Amino acid sequence: MNYWLVKSEPSVYSYEQLEKDKKTTWDGVRNFAARIHLNGMKKGDLVLFYHSNEGKAVMGIAKVVKEAFPDPTATEGQWVAVELAPHKKFKKPVTLEAIKGEEVLQNIYLVRQGRLSVMPLKLEEFDHIVEMGN
DNA sequence: GCCAACGTTGGC
DNA sequence: GCCAACGTTGGC
């Protein structure tokens, strides 16, 4: 079991929309580092869902329901997509500011490397953010 | 294979 | 809307 965090601009696709849709294809990723992480996702893995730009907060937890397959939106290059379903919405969103204030979360990619859109988390980092959201 | 130029992301 | 950071592209 692995733990991840994905980013989405809520104006493009929000956690609320994921709950309405029941599941979604996580496609359109065009970044080599992010692709490595997508390929590492296993069915049942839990994924924190972060809203970038607007909100700047983790909204809840999603779950991998289908492992990496060729991205149907890619016209060239071997890009991959996964399918995500909503798992649990946070009682309160965990803001980037709050995350930056936590000693144990200083080393996560979200803080260190702002632009990566799919990133792994250690169990303790994942748990810590989940606790902050409940 | 290096590196400058360029484009994009995302926080502020 | 600006700008820093970073990834990618392309010339050499």
Side-chain angles (χ1 to χ4, degrees), chain A residues 21-133:
Chain A
D21 292 347
K22 309 294 187 204
K23 70 170 184 177
T24 193
T25 300
W26 205 256
D27 57 22
V29 173
R30 298 291 182 270
N31 172 284
F32 292 109
R35 186 176 74 185
I36 290 168
H37 300 315
L38 280 182
N39 273 315
M41 287 188 184
K42 298 296 175 200
K43 196 171 177 180
D45 282 358
L46 297 177
V47 182
L48 295 178
F49 195 109
Y50 176 79
H51 280 183
S52 61
N53 281 322
E54 290 171 63
K56 282 176 289 177
V58 178
M59 306 306 290
I61 308 169
K63 187 170 58 179
V64 177
V65 291
K66 187 175 177 188
E67 296 175 11
F69 57 94
D71 185 340
T73 68
T75 53
E76 62 176 32
Q78 306 199 332
W79 299 106
V80 297
V82 297
E83 280 185 8
L84 298 180
H87 178 68
K88 190 164 187 287
K89 187 177 182 176
F90 281 174
K91 290 201 184 79
K92 51 177 177 134
V94 178
T95 63
L96 180 62
E97 193 184 8
I99 287 171
K100 284 183 170 171
E102 294 292 314
E103 193 69 31
V104 295
L105 299 175
Q106 290 310 299
N107 288 323
I108 66 174
Y109 282 105
L110 188 68
V111 175
R112 281 199 351 231
Q113 193 184 334
R115 295 187 52 191
L116 188 62
S117 61
V118 181
M119 65 194 74
L121 288 176
K122 292 182 188 145
L123 173 60
E124 56 265 33
E125 295 162 347
F126 177 88
D127 279 347
H128 195 90
I129 294 172
V130 170
E131 269 178 38
M132 290 166 73

